């Protein structure tokens, strides 16, 4: 259950400059790797490349190698990859299948496509809905939900596919704090079951809570990489357009004011 | 899973297929097989064009659209939606034919250089009847059929889900566009766009509303395609179906009957027996 | 300058029957900076859409400078209340950044030097002054959102209403938004914003209104709303006070809604006896 990118570069069709350069990244089994960075730093492109959609669906030119559980996926068609790697986009409205009249069918869409037996489709769908506490929406029309609700439905649709590898592009952008917490818990639980997960987020507090390692992108390159603790405590984070997590920011402000950070205690929760 | 699941949730294993998926439709029209309804809609639309004139399409609309809609209890919504759907084409087609009908002789009104003729009016009415028959037939299908039903039914008959998907997605696009346009209109009104003032002001206001509707839809097409691929939609082989629409021998005969009637009608029109 | 009064406001959505607002009383004085917080679906967006007439009350009324908003059109209200929507893609339509920002002030009848100055100020405030000729679709998500903000700022309305201005923004964008709010307040404009980011709320606003199920459950300064005494009420809406508040509470330092407040209290404790 590993996903490895070595020396990966990518350029969109018609673009003069590369969107990604020299990306080396290893996602081990059960590992959550966070991706931070300013807007336009390459986070979304990295998601498309890691999930195989760029260049397969998007076009453009790719360099370097991507190994899925040790196998080179270069020649794989998209449907073969999609059975192994799930991807969630920022805008939940575009992820609706358009052929589901109810949230239940929407969430079941992925496993149905994969040909999972009917009773398992049903149980996986219920489990995904329950994990995100949206069972009460099961009969609703997915088109008539708020942005936040659609984001939870889209996330449930990915969970129901039981992916071994999952790529998530700002999955909590439209969510309130409670929704963010539920999605964070769901990601942590999926990783605990062995999935490898790549997640981009502006909410570094969420990355601090669930990611073991974090990379920071700047101009399409990896500017920082390391354990979540080290990278998120880096004093240069703000210059890269990334807001440090609340605890790190508070500790630094305390140190700057001459107050021993230890007095703050270890209140991370 | 740790305890303390949601407030209303039962243990996960106790839940089977949700009953609302297999619940029969509220009226006999709703309960018809989706292919039967799609056949009815197509035959009605094509027959309205093939019949021509005014009486044919009007009778057809009464029998094949208004009557079933009333039986299904969706007559009000059908009239609203199909008029809305037909409005842009109907208005322009009506005006063009009213004023510019080539063989118009009996002058009704003269407005500057253009004249409305009785012949033009008659022909415009005929065109209107056909457009309304088509939009009514499509709307009836849409209002009495669950979104996925036709896709699933075609799939069960061995048709690629992609074909059904395209048919379904294009129908679904209409309410999505209406919703999007409503949201964009609200945002532009908040920026002082006057949609309550004079006709000229309203016409000027179309650009800032139509612009984002179209630009947004185009931008979303690529993302939708990617999302479908990522969710395994293009995988070869059979998909698992959660439920299947019912079908009966009667309906099968009805469908073939409708198609045969249509073929007969077209044959008659082509050979010119009715003329 | 404008003050806003919301009296016994109830809103029931006609299509769904959902009672989104269930009797809101709220008075916002000219020049105040007010944050609206609450879960998704608590009625925040519905409330702000009443301020500029996009939604009309089912019961109760909204007063702008003492005038009933019900007697004004949205276009009239737009001159006083500038509302920035959450999704920039539901409003951007122009071919260039400049044309997009000019749209609002032009609708309000501005032209010439007045228009140029308003547009230049709005672009400078959002850091887009170097992008006047850029096609908005070539900007990244963060800057498109700032463009939507600039396009309303340029209308120079006495009241600025922002629906989730920081979602989807990177750290630089959030700082921009904060600077815009502070500059607007310094110029005497009223700012009302919806946000899920409690730390941002505590630092950039002087008043916090907490909503749940279409009602106001807490209303006060960040110091009051995030004080320990309010934590239970806050948590009943699934909101957590900012980290600085939680640490201040744990250390018995009283209410410390911001990092700066917490550190100041800690320094007092280190230098002299705490009160």
């Amino acid at each position: 259950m590993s996903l490895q990118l070595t020396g990966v570069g990518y350029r969109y069709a018609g673009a003069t400059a590369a969107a990604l350069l020299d990306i080396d990244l290893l996602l081990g089994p059960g590992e959550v790797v966070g991706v931070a960075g300013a807007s336009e730093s390459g986070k979304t492109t990295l998601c498309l490349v890691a999930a195989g959609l760029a260049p397969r669906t998007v076009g453009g030119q790719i360099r370097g190698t991507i190994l899925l559980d040790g196998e080179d996926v270069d020649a794989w068609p998209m449907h073969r990859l999609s059975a192994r790697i799930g991807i969630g986009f920022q805008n939940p409205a575009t992820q609706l299948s358009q052929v589901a009249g109810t949230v239940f069918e929407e969430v079941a869409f992925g496993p149905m496509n994969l040909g999972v037996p009917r009773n398992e489709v049903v149980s996986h769908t219920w489990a995904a809905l329950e994990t995100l506490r949206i069972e009460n929406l099961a009969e609703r029309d997915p088109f008539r939900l708020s942005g936040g609700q659609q984001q939870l439905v889209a996330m449930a649709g990915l969970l129901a596919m039981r992916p071994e590898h999952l790529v998530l592009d700002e999955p909590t952008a439209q969510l309130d704090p409670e929704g963010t917490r539920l999605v964070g818990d769901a990601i942590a639980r999926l990783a605990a079951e062995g999935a490898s997960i790549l997640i981009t987020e502006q909410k570094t507090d969420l990355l601090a809570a669930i990611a073991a390692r974090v990379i920071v992108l700047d101009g399409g390159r990896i500017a920082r990489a390391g354990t979540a603790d080290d990278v998120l405590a880096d004093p240069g984070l703000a210059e890269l357009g990334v807001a440090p997590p609340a605890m790190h920011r508070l500790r630094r402000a305390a140190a700057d004011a001459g107050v021993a950070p230890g007095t703050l205690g270890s209140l991370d929760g | 899973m740790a305890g303390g699941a949601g407030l209303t949730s039962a243990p996960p294993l106790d839940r089977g297929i949700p009953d609302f998926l297999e619940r029969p439709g509220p009226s006999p029209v709703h309960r018809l097989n989706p292919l039967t309804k799609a056949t009815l809609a197509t035959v009605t639309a094509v027959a309205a064009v093939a019949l021509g004139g005014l009486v044919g399409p009007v009778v057809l609309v009464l029998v094949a659209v208004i009557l079933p809609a009333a039986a299904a209890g969706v007559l009000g919504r059908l009239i609203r939606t199909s008029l809305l759907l037909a409005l842009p084409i109907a208005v322009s087609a009506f005006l063009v034919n009213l004023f510019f009908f080539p063989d118009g002789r009996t002058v009704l009104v003269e407005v500057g250089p253009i004249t409305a003729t009785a012949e033009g009016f008659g022909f415009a009415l005929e065109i209107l009847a056909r457009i309304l028959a088509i939009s009514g037939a499509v709307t009836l299908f849409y209002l009495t059929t669950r979104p996925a039903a036709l896709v699933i039914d075609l799939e069960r008959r061995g048709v690629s889900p992609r074909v059904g998907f395209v048919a379904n997605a294009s129908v679904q696009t209409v309410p999505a566009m209406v919703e999007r346009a409503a949201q964009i209109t609200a945002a532009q009104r908040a920026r002082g766009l006057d949609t309550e003032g004079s006709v000229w002001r309203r016409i000027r206001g179309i650009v800032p509303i139509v612009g984002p509707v179209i630009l947004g839809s185009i931008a979303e097409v690529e993302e939708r395609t990617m999302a479908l691929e990522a969710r395994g939609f293009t995988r070869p082989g059979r998909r698992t179906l959660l439920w299947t629409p019912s079908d009966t021998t009667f309906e099968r005969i009805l469908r073939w009957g409708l198609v045969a009637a249509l073929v007969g009608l077209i044959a008659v029109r082509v050979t010119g027996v009715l003329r | 300058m404008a003050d806003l009064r919301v009296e016994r406001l109830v809103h029931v959505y006609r299509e769904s029957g959902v009672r989104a607002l269930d009797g809101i009383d709220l008075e916002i004085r000219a020049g105040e900076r007010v944050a609206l917080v609450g879960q998704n679906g608590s009625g925040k967006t519905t409330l702000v859409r009443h301020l500029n007439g996009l939604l009309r009350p089912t019961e109760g009324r909204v007063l702008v400078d003492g005038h009933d908003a019900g007697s004004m059109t949205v276009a009239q209200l737009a001159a006083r209340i500038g509302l920035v929507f959450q999704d920039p893609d539901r409003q951007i339509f122009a071919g260039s950044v400049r044309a997009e920002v000019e749209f609002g002030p032009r609708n309000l009848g501005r032209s010439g030097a007045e228009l140029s100055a308003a547009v230049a100020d709005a672009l400078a405030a959002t850091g887009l002054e170097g992008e006047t000729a850029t096609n908005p679709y070539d900007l990244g998500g963060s800057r498109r959102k700032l463009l939507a903000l600039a396009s309303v700022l340029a209308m120079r309305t006495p009241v600025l209403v922002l629906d989730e201005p920081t979602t989807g923004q990177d750290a630089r964008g959030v700082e921009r938004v904060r600077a815009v709010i502070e500059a607007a307040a310094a110029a005497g404009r009223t700012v009302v914003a919806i946000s899920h980011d409690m730390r941002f709320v505590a630092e950039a606003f002087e008043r916090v209104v907490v909503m749940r199920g279409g009602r106001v459950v807490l209303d006060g300064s960040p110091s009051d709303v995030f004080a320990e005494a309010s934590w239970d009420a806050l948590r009943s809406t699934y909101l957590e006070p900012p980290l600085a508040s939680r640490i201040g509470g744990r250390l018995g330092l009283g209410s410390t809604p911001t990092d700066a407040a917490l550190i100041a209290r800690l320094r007092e404790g280190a230098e002299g006896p705490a009160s």
Side-chain angles (χ1 to χ4, degrees):
Chain A
M1 310 262 175
S2 72
L3 182 65
Q4 185 171 14
L5 280 68
T6 313
V8 168
Y10 175 76
R11 196 169 50 136
Y12 283 99
T16 46
L20 286 180
L21 280 161
D22 304 325
I23 303 290
D24 291 311
L25 184 66
L26 173 67
L27 261 101
E31 195 171 36
V32 179
V33 172
V35 183
S39 179
E40 301 170 66
S41 66
K43 301 193 300 294
T44 297
T45 309
L46 178 60
C47 289
L48 297 178
V49 166
L53 285 163
R56 285 176 188 74
T57 306
V58 185
Q61 278 183 307
I62 193 162
R63 290 216 315 252
T65 52
I66 300 178
L67 301 182
L68 189 69
D69 299 333
E71 272 185 89
D72 191 332
V73 299
D74 195 41
W76 288 25
M78 194 58 222
H79 63 81
R80 187 166 166 207
L81 268 180
S82 67
R84 305 276 294 273
I85 308 183
I87 180 169
F89 302 101
Q90 268 175 41
N91 181 358
T94 59
Q95 294 181 69
L96 298 177
S97 66
Q98 293 188 284
V99 288
T102 63
V103 164
F104 190 91
E105 291 163 276
E106 181 61 46
V107 173
F109 181 73
M112 282 164 63
N113 289 337
L114 297 181
V116 172
R118 188 168 177 262
N119 58 344
E120 283 177 39
V121 172
V122 171
S123 66
H124 291 182
T125 299
W126 277 125
L129 292 170
E130 280 162 12
T131 299
L132 298 174
R133 308 261 168 95
I134 48 171
E135 317 91 290
N136 55 333
L137 300 182
E139 196 178 346
R140 295 272 298 274
D141 177 353
F143 272 105
R144 300 200 171 277
L145 298 176
S146 73
Q149 288 170 327
Q150 283 181 344
Q151 196 150 35
L152 290 173
V153 169
M155 184 72 198
L158 293 172
L159 293 178
M161 291 175 81
R162 304 270 160 118
E164 299 164 4
H165 309 276
L166 187 58
V167 176
L168 298 167
D169 192 7
E170 297 198 29
T172 70
Q174 304 213 28
L175 296 179
D176 57 21
E178 171 73 355
T180 303
R181 194 184 62 75
L182 289 169
V183 167
D185 288 353
I187 292 168
R189 197 179 309 165
L190 202 61
E193 287 161 10
S196 61
I197 297 161
L198 187 71
I199 170 177
T200 80
E201 258 301 336
Q202 297 289 356
K203 294 175 185 168
T204 46
D205 284 295
L206 178 64
L207 292 184
I210 61 171
R213 286 186 299 122
V214 169
I215 64 169
V216 182
L217 290 180
D218 186 35
R221 290 175 189 276
I222 295 182
R224 300 280 189 286
T227 65
D229 275 347
D230 286 348
V231 171
L232 295 175
D234 191 304
L237 220 51
E239 274 168 42
L240 294 167
V242 178
M247 193 63 195
H248 290 295
R249 198 191 307 232
L250 195 47
R251 284 218 178 92
R252 183 150 332 113
D256 289 348
V259 174
T263 31
L264 298 173
S266 60
L267 227 159
D268 286 307
Chain B
M1 220 161 102
L7 302 169
T8 53
S9 70
L13 288 178
D14 290 349
R15 294 194 171 188
I17 187 126
D19 54 359
F20 56 79
L21 288 184
E22 289 174 336
R23 191 184 299 155
S27 78
V29 180
H30 284 87
R31 287 193 289 273
L32 280 176
N33 181 278
L35 191 60
T36 308
K37 281 180 280 189
T39 309
L40 180 66
T42 313
V43 168
T44 307
V46 178
V49 176
L51 275 172
L54 197 57
V55 181
V58 168
V59 172
L60 200 60
V61 165
L62 281 176
V63 174
V65 180
I66 304 286
L67 205 67
V74 296
L75 191 55
R77 283 173 64 206
L78 177 108
I79 290 171
R80 268 199 308 278
T81 315
S82 57
L83 284 182
L84 207 65
L85 198 66
L87 202 63
I89 312 170
V91 169
S92 57
F94 188 82
L95 290 180
V96 164
N97 285 297
L98 177 60
F99 289 114
F100 302 110
F101 190 66
D103 298 329
R105 305 216 194 299
T106 324
V107 175
L108 290 178
V109 198
E110 247 176 299
V111 192
I114 50 175
T115 43
T117 60
E119 292 80 2
F121 180 72
F123 191 70
L125 273 185
E126 290 180 15
I127 294 285
L128 198 64
R130 283 179 226 174
I131 293 171
L132 286 177
I134 294 169
S135 75
V138 171
T139 308
L140 176 66
F141 171 80
Y142 169 68
L143 289 180
T144 55
T145 314
R146 271 161 58 180
L150 184 62
V151 184
I152 293 174
D153 199 58
L154 289 176
E155 215 173 323
R156 187 181 54 173
R157 297 170 201 274
V159 178
S160 155
R162 287 187 226 191
V163 175
F165 175 81
V166 170
N168 191 73
S170 37
V171 176
Q172 291 258 303
T173 303
V174 177
M177 291 273 247
V178 170
E179 174 74 27
R180 173 188 278 272
Q183 285 181 27
I184 291 165
T185 308
Q188 308 304 41
R189 291 175 74 196
R191 292 204 288 166
L193 179 71
D194 193 348
T195 53
E196 293 153 317
S198 70
V199 175
W200 169 237
R201 278 181 154 266
R202 287 187 208 195
I203 290 171
R204 267 200 328 184
I206 289 173
V207 173
I209 291 169
V210 171
V213 171
I214 294 174
L215 288 175
S217 309
I218 292 171
E220 283 183 2
V221 167
E222 184 177 50
E223 224 170 280
R224 283 192 196 287
T225 313
M226 292 196 292
L228 286 173
E229 290 229 38
R231 294 174 77 187
F233 189 65
T234 52
R235 192 188 71 99
R238 280 198 99 74
R239 303 196 310 145
T240 306
L241 299 180
L242 284 182
W243 56 280
T244 42
S246 63
D247 201 6
T248 58
T249 317
F250 167 71
E251 287 193 52
R252 223 163 292 143
I253 296 167
L254 180 65
R255 285 197 295 268
W256 285 114
L258 282 167
V259 172
L262 181 66
V263 170
L265 174 68
I266 292 172
V268 166
R269 295 293 291 168
V270 169
T271 53
V273 173
L274 278 186
R275 269 188 197 267
Chain C
M1 301 307 105
D3 58 45
L4 302 168
R5 264 175 75 163
V6 173
E7 292 178 351
R8 301 181 314 280
L9 182 61
V10 172
H11 190 84
V12 180
Y13 282 102
R14 211 184 292 160
E15 321 87 75
S16 60
V18 171
R19 198 178 176 87
L21 297 179
D22 189 23
I24 300 268
D25 282 294
L26 197 63
E27 189 170 352
I28 296 173
R29 288 180 303 280
E32 255 189 318
R33 272 172 297 151
V34 183
L36 289 179
V37 305
Q39 256 195 308
N40 287 345
S42 60
K44 308 181 297 290
T45 297
T46 304
L47 174 59
V48 299
R49 287 186 182 192
H50 279 83
L51 299 180
N52 70 347
L54 282 176
L55 291 176
R56 300 297 186 176
T58 306
E59 287 169 36
R61 59 179 188 163
V62 176
L63 299 173
V64 178
D65 285 332
H67 302 289
D68 192 338
S71 63
M72 290 185 254
T73 64
V74 178
Q76 287 169 332
L77 284 163
R80 302 178 185 224
I81 318 273
L83 171 60
V84 186
F85 283 61
Q86 200 183 335
D87 183 356
D89 294 341
R90 300 271 148 118
Q91 71 156 67
I92 289 173
F93 71 98
S96 74
V97 165
R98 170 178 288 281
E100 186 70 38
V101 177
E102 281 181 349
F103 178 72
R106 274 187 197 279
N107 284 334
L108 301 185
R110 311 262 157 78
S111 60
E114 197 188 6
L115 176 67
S116 314
V119 170
D121 287 353
L123 290 173
T126 47
L128 293 168
E129 62 271 47
E131 307 286 351
T132 47
T134 309
N135 185 323
Y137 273 85
D138 290 336
L139 298 175
S142 215
R143 289 195 291 168
R144 274 217 298 284
K145 188 132 179 164
L146 288 169
L147 173 59
L149 174 58
S151 72
V152 172
L153 270 183
M155 294 165 73
R156 294 188 164 162
T157 51
V159 181
L160 199 53
V161 183
L162 313 172
D163 195 345
E164 303 206 23
T166 62
T167 56
Q169 290 275 18
D170 60 15
R172 292 179 194 127
V174 174
E175 284 315 306
R176 286 274 182 203
V177 172
R178 198 171 151 187
V180 165
I181 291 171
E182 274 161 13
R189 297 165 79 176
T190 310
V191 182
V192 180
I194 293 173
S195 180
H196 288 312
D197 182 342
M198 295 306 125
R199 190 176 162 277
F200 177 75
V201 164
E203 290 187 348
F205 295 86
E206 55 188 350
R207 181 171 162 199
V208 184
V209 173
V210 184
M211 293 182 63
R212 182 183 61 210
R215 289 171 184 247
V216 172
V217 290
L218 286 170
D219 182 355
S221 67
S223 191
D224 293 337
V225 167
F226 295 128
E228 231 176 322
S230 308
W231 286 3
D232 285 343
L234 212 52
R235 285 189 174 134
S236 76
T237 71
Y238 296 95
L239 296 175
E240 283 274 334
L243 182 64
S245 283
R246 283 178 275 150
I247 292 178
R250 178 72 63 95
L251 298 177
L253 296 172
S255 182
T256 54
T258 62
D259 292 7
L262 173 64
I263 286 162
R265 211 58 67 79
L266 283 168
R267 292 184 73 172
E268 282 167 29
E271 284 159 13
S275 54

